[in-house]
Amino acid sequence: MFCEKAMELVRELHRAPEGQLPAFNEDGLRQVLEEMKALYEQNQSDVYDRLLRIRALRWEYGSVLPNALRFHMSAEEMEWFNHYKKSLATYMRSLGKDGGLDITQDMKPPKSLYIEVRCLKDYGEFEVDDGTSVLLKKNSQHFLPRWKCEQLVRQGILEHVLS
Amino acid sequence: MFVSDFRKEFYEVVQNQRVLLFVASDVDALCACKILQALFQCDHVQYTLVPVSGWQELETAFLEHKEQFHYFILINCGANVDLLDILQPDEDAIFFVCDTHRPVNVVNVYNDTQIKLLIKLDDDLEVPAYDDIFRDEEEDDEHSGDESDNGSEPSAKRTRLEEEIVAQTMKRRKRREWESRRRDILFDYEQYEYHGTSSAMVMFDLAWMMSKDLNDMLWWAIVGLTDQWVQDKITQMKYVIDVGILQRHVSRHNHRNEDEENSLSVDCTRISFEYDLRLALYQHWSLHDSLCNTCYTAARFKLWSVHGQKRLQEFLADVGLPLKQVKQKFQSMDVSLKENLQEMIEESANKFGMKDMRIQTFSIHFGFKHKFLASDVVFATMSLMESPEKDGSGTDSFIQALDSLSRSNLDKLYHGLELAKKQLRATQQIIASCLCTNLVISQGPFLYCSLMEGTPDIVLFSKPASLSLLSRHLLKSFVYSTKNRRCKLLPLVMTAPLSVEQGTVTVVGIPPETDSSDRKNFFGRAFEKAAEGTNSRTLHNHFDLSVIELKAEDRSKFLDALVSLLS
């Protein structure tokens, strides 16, 4: 049980009558400090794990996170996320010639400009290049530019059909 | 209007646009769709594919998507009705219709702007002339205006008035004659439904014209044509002609197999022309099962009777096949027996009165293990497409069937073959029970058979193609079972339960079975008239007008109306 040692030390001090200082329980104190360190480290790994997940979200959802997710994050995490976004953007801009290269597209080397996708669930309207939109209904198949579909494929709404 | 140059007036028009494809739920449409998809993927044409199984679905899907597209392609649906009337599209929507349903609706033929028919003009279309059906309305208005013209002198005016009156009555009479002639012409034209060239073949032709045809597309064209033959949609003559056309393409694509030195690796797809037995799925089944479950042999041997079973044994003995071998899986049969199997079976079949045991068809090989006849693929795909579904929407099975046509999804094809075996077995069992319990009765102008709710496997026959196939096979078997010469020439009306909750049945009309049948079906119009006349609650939802849904309670009055209509 954590904190028991710390409790014991505090109780000892409390039991001692006023004005008297009991012997400095070095051992006890060291143990408590060690416990504190262990707890701190565990918290660290938990926080680190959350950070890794937030980073993955950037790759999955793009630079704007849905509101639901934002509620789950603390203020510091939001700040960290914004920093990460900025560094990623700077890096991407520094790649390619003008404007940079969006590396969050094309997670696997692409084989063609357009891909055939099948809609797994009803999604609704989805905008395409020239401003018009496509209605994504369950089991309809579409042949669309690859980069438009990547996000939805990753979210599981569209399925890449290999023929 | 009919498109004359498919490439310029169709493909190049849609090449830079986004198109919406409506595909009907039959194997020929699936094959045409695969060919078109392959062409579009090659040229990066953005498209959306929506499966439709009936008019209602077509209308709903059209309403949902019409804001987003200007170009629509309909495959195996839409030619035989007034499309603009049903869909009510915007002025700038253009429809390309590739459909085997005939007769093509006259409005679709003569609309110059919005409807483009991807139909070859050498199909026997017999479209009535424009002047016989459409008439300028202005001609009559001119003359009614003349009445109020004032003449100079009264007497002159009177004679002129008399002349005008005479002229007018003549005009009215002529108009009435024209209208009645128009009604007759339209009635004759629209009376019989039939089918034209396979849509898959039309699409393959387009691909060939653009020099983009591949072996895969050729195979899909073959499957589309074979589907029409399996479902008796075209005459034997047309089938043979079309097989000849495809055979030329097959030799063009696959001639390297004959050359010993330059032949392709075994793993490549190879299509070859076959003059093979018409036993369904026999290479994936046992020969015995195939003989028992192919309608052609089951009907002629009369396998629902004990006598028939004995004849089958005699037949096998005549061919020289031991019963044990024949009941094994075909692939495990002795190689020595399989050697001249086709010729031996054909010879014995001739002795037993079956002259057409072998038919011209094609087969495809992938590697050593996978070999399929075109009819195998047709049965497999049909079973996949019509397999009963858990959630009720037709689109899941459509997608499965579409996938199974791809070379990389052979496991789905094999699954389809298993479903097809079940379907064929269930078909023969139902036929046997119908014939043994005399469920096929003569109503006068037609035969009638009604399947009851509790019939085993009845759920496999709730969709139109399976039910039509069952009905056709039943009619063929009935013709062989009955001694009544008049009954042999009658058509058949079949009903099967569709939905228990809604109390509906599916009604199918099959034309009479004759040797030289031209496969023309008059039941579409007959059903419409009978339903109107009796106010029965019917749903003419299927693209084939000879298949309708009916409320079970209205069944008897509907049938009575049909009887009086056709007598």
Side-chain angles (χ1 to χ4, degrees):
Chain A
M1 220 4 249
F2 297 124
C3 302
E4 259 191 36
K5 268 274 141 193
M7 287 288 286
E8 227 187 273
L9 284 174
V10 173
R11 264 191 236 119
E12 252 190 57
L13 192 59
H14 198 70
R15 262 188 249 125
E18 297 253 334
Q20 269 196 356
L21 196 63
F24 187 65
N25 195 342
E26 201 183 309
D27 227 356
L29 212 51
R30 200 178 335 125
Q31 280 183 21
V32 169
L33 284 172
E34 269 178 29
E35 267 184 37
M36 280 171 58
K37 202 166 90 175
L39 281 172
Y40 184 67
E41 269 166 14
Q42 278 203 2
N43 275 343
Q44 276 275 25
S45 71
D46 188 40
V47 169
Y48 184 61
D49 195 46
R50 283 177 71 93
L51 241 44
L52 285 177
R53 289 196 190 174
I54 295 174
R55 192 172 72 173
L57 283 177
R58 162 68 185 90
W59 286 83
E60 188 170 317
Y61 281 103
S63 46
V64 182
L65 290 182
N67 280 326
L69 282 171
R70 260 189 257 171
F71 279 137
H72 289 299
M73 302 195 329
S74 72
E76 287 90 348
E77 288 175 330
M78 270 312 297
E79 215 188 291
W80 182 87
F81 181 73
N82 287 330
H83 273 278
Y84 181 71
K85 235 176 26 179
K86 273 200 207 117
S87 353
L88 189 58
T90 329
Y91 177 62
M92 291 203 287
R93 229 173 295 135
S94 72
L95 292 176
K97 282 175 272 194
D98 355 52
L101 185 65
D102 188 356
I103 51 180
T104 58
Q105 305 290 342
D106 295 339
M107 301 294 276
K108 288 189 284 217
K111 292 232 165 64
S112 59
L113 278 180
Y114 289 80
I115 52 169
E116 169 118 18
V117 288
R118 180 176 301 157
C119 195
L120 296 173
K121 345 185 179 155
D122 280 335
Y123 180 72
E125 303 220 343
F126 178 57
E127 230 188 273
V128 189
D129 312 355
D130 47 1
T132 51
S133 48
V134 177
L135 180 69
L136 294 178
K137 270 210 104 174
K138 182 162 192 245
N139 280 333
S140 57
Q141 277 189 214
H142 309 267
F143 188 63
L144 297 169
R146 169 177 286 274
W147 58 277
K148 274 253 125 208
C149 311
E150 285 272 354
Q151 292 286 346
L152 291 177
V153 171
R154 253 180 267 158
Q155 287 174 35
I157 295 178
L158 293 179
E159 176 197 10
H160 186 20
V161 174
L162 307 144
S163 58
Chain B
M1 58 174 278
F2 290 103
V3 170
S4 43
D5 185 341
F6 281 31
R7 179 185 198 161
K8 279 213 204 74
E9 298 175 43
F10 162 57
Y11 199 74
E12 290 182 3
V13 169
V14 297
Q15 206 166 359
N16 300 316
Q17 309 285 340
R18 288 173 45 232
V19 288
L20 180 58
L21 270 119
F22 288 114
V23 182
S25 302
D26 65 88
V27 180
D28 183 32
L30 275 185
C31 294
C33 167
K34 292 291 283 191
I35 298 178
L36 199 55
Q37 273 184 302
L39 285 174
F40 281 167
Q41 282 169 12
C42 186
D43 287 321
H44 295 312
V45 177
Q46 294 182 47
Y47 66 87
T48 296
L49 171 69
V50 177
V52 289
S53 60
W55 297 113
Q56 283 181 343
E57 274 199 29
L58 180 61
E59 282 174 57
T60 331
F62 180 73
L63 279 174
E64 286 171 355
H65 287 98
K66 69 178 195 180
E67 308 295 323
Q68 299 136 13
F69 294 93
H70 294 299
Y71 291 92
F72 302 87
I73 303 181
L74 283 82
I75 302 192
N76 272 2
C77 49
N80 50 354
V81 293
D82 186 352
L83 209 55
L84 296 178
D85 189 42
I86 289 201
L87 295 179
Q88 304 275 333
D90 299 327
E91 296 269 319
D92 55 354
I94 302 211
F95 296 88
F96 293 97
V97 180
C98 182
D99 190 355
T100 57
H101 290 101
R102 306 274 182 276
V104 184
N105 190 289
V106 289
V107 177
N108 290 343
V109 174
Y110 290 115
N111 177 307
D112 282 332
T113 48
Q114 289 187 276
I115 311 261
K116 318 265 179 189
L117 297 165
L118 298 173
I119 293 175
K120 296 273 160 128
L121 280 172
D122 52 359
D123 262 355
D124 49 347
L125 291 164
E126 295 166 7
V127 183
Y130 182 80
D131 292 324
D132 283 339
I133 321 174
F134 299 106
R135 182 195 179 94
D136 277 334
E137 290 301 320
E138 300 166 11
E139 291 175 14
D140 302 321
D141 294 342
E142 278 174 31
H143 292 274
S144 53
D146 282 80
E147 266 184 291
S148 48
D149 246 356
N150 288 321
S152 43
E153 294 168 28
S155 56
K157 182 172 150 193
R158 210 177 295 126
T159 36
R160 201 148 37 120
L161 207 53
E162 280 176 15
E163 280 173 16
E164 279 177 19
I165 292 177
V166 168
Q168 277 213 26
T169 23
M170 287 298 295
K171 207 152 207 63
R172 252 182 253 134
R173 198 184 307 162
K174 261 203 206 147
R175 195 208 163 92
R176 272 198 294 267
E177 281 173 11
W178 179 86
E179 283 190 346
S180 81
R181 206 178 48 222
R182 172 182 188 268
R183 267 196 303 270
D184 288 336
I185 291 178
L186 276 182
F187 180 76
D188 284 336
Y189 179 62
E190 295 178 348
Q191 189 184 25
Y192 287 95
E193 272 190 296
Y194 57 103
H195 287 267
T197 310
S198 145
S199 299
M201 280 186 68
V202 169
M203 287 297 169
F204 179 76
D205 209 57
L206 170 66
W208 179 49
M209 266 201 278
M210 300 195 293
S211 299
K212 290 192 181 149
D213 56 325
L214 297 168
N215 226 2
D216 281 333
M217 294 187 198
L218 178 55
W219 178 246
W220 290 326
I222 291 173
V223 174
L225 172 65
T226 312
D227 172 59
Q228 287 199 312
W229 177 78
V230 164
Q231 298 203 37
D232 277 340
K233 286 186 175 167
I234 51 174
T235 59
Q236 186 68 13
M237 174 88 101
K238 179 144 179 61
Y239 175 71
V240 170
I241 294 176
D242 286 344
V243 162
I245 296 176
L246 287 177
Q247 195 182 352
R248 289 197 282 276
H249 290 294
V250 166
S251 11
R252 182 167 56 88
H253 277 279
N254 293 283
H255 62 271
R256 278 160 78 183
N257 305 320
E258 275 124 58
D259 192 353
E260 284 298 325
E261 290 131 24
N262 294 331
S263 63
L264 294 169
S265 130
V266 160
D267 289 327
C268 289
T269 311
R270 272 176 301 147
I271 304 179
S272 41
F273 174 77
E274 306 268 354
Y275 186 46
D276 208 342
L277 300 171
R278 68 193 288 172
L279 300 173
L281 306 179
Y282 80 94
Q283 290 174 8
H284 304 274
W285 221 349
S286 70
L287 201 53
H288 187 254
D289 276 331
S290 185
L291 281 164
C292 292
N293 292 309
T294 302
C295 173
Y296 184 78
T297 44
R300 282 161 183 75
F301 281 129
K302 304 204 188 80
L303 287 178
W304 53 86
S305 63
V306 176
H307 174 69
Q309 300 278 348
K310 276 212 208 111
R311 285 200 78 204
L312 178 61
Q313 313 262 10
E314 282 172 27
F315 172 76
L316 290 170
D318 192 79
V319 180
L321 297 167
L323 206 57
K324 216 171 96 170
Q325 286 287 329
V326 156
K327 290 200 177 168
Q328 274 187 33
K329 276 187 69 111
F330 184 77
Q331 283 148 357
S332 332
M333 267 175 77
D334 263 353
V335 178
S336 55
L337 292 171
K338 282 200 272 192
E339 248 165 55
N340 286 325
L341 189 69
Q342 294 171 6
E343 285 89 8
M344 295 191 319
I345 291 194
E346 190 182 21
E347 235 183 86
S348 305
N350 269 324
K351 286 189 222 160
F352 280 74
M354 291 182 271
K355 302 265 187 284
D356 304 311
M357 196 56 151
R358 287 168 80 178
I359 46 151
Q360 299 178 347
T361 183
F362 300 91
S363 70
I364 193 169
H365 297 250
F366 312 106
F368 285 111
K369 201 165 124 179
H370 308 293
K371 177 183 172 192
F372 303 97
L373 285 177
S375 55
D376 296 343
V377 177
V378 168
F379 281 118
T381 317
M382 212 190 319
S383 304
L384 277 173
M385 196 152 51
E386 307 227 325
S387 63
E389 275 177 45
K390 293 155 262 195
D391 64 350
S393 88
T395 45
D396 276 336
S397 8
F398 180 92
I399 296 290
Q400 270 211 329
L402 192 66
D403 278 343
S404 77
L405 285 174
S406 294
R407 225 192 305 163
S408 47
N409 291 324
L410 283 181
D411 53 334
K412 294 204 178 153
L413 191 58
Y414 279 113
H415 176 58
L417 282 174
E418 295 303 312
L419 288 177
K421 288 181 197 171
K422 253 205 269 181
Q423 184 104 22
L424 286 170
R425 252 196 271 259
T427 307
Q428 287 305 318
Q429 278 167 1
I430 293 188
I431 292 178
S433 76
C434 284
L435 291 175
C436 290
T437 56
N438 289 325
L439 274 180
V440 183
I441 40 187
S442 164
Q443 293 279 7
F446 58 83
L447 298 165
Y448 173 67
C449 178
S450 170
L451 295 177
M452 288 298 128
E453 180 57 35
T455 319
D457 291 326
I458 195 67
V459 69
L460 289 174
F461 299 102
S462 53
K463 300 229 176 137
S466 324
L467 188 58
S468 304
L469 207 62
L470 168 65
S471 317
R472 238 173 284 122
H473 289 185
L474 178 60
L475 184 59
K476 287 187 192 160
S477 307
F478 178 78
V479 163
Y480 278 96
S481 80
T482 183
K483 298 217 174 42
N484 186 334
R485 241 185 299 158
R486 201 184 76 85
C487 279
K488 288 194 207 244
L489 303 171
L490 292 178
L492 171 69
V493 172
M494 178 93 149
T495 65
L498 177 62
S499 153
V500 187
E501 306 94 46
Q502 296 169 5
T504 50
V505 294
T506 316
V507 186
V508 173
I510 308 286
E513 181 66 29
T514 51
D515 285 331
S516 58
S517 163
D518 56 2
R519 312 272 186 249
K520 293 201 178 185
N521 194 340
F522 54 79
F523 277 107
R525 302 289 157 201
F527 284 165
E528 261 178 42
K529 287 221 180 77
E532 267 173 61
T534 57
N535 282 327
S536 310
R537 291 159 287 176
T538 53
L539 190 60
H540 301 258
N541 193 31
H542 296 289
F543 299 123
D544 267 328
L545 296 172
S546 56
V547 181
I548 63 167
E549 289 172 25
L550 172 70
K551 281 270 183 199
E553 300 145 351
D554 297 336
R555 197 189 338 210
S556 33
K557 63 178 177 178
F558 179 79
L559 283 172
D560 289 334
L562 208 57
V563 171
S564 50
L565 200 65
L566 295 174
S567 308

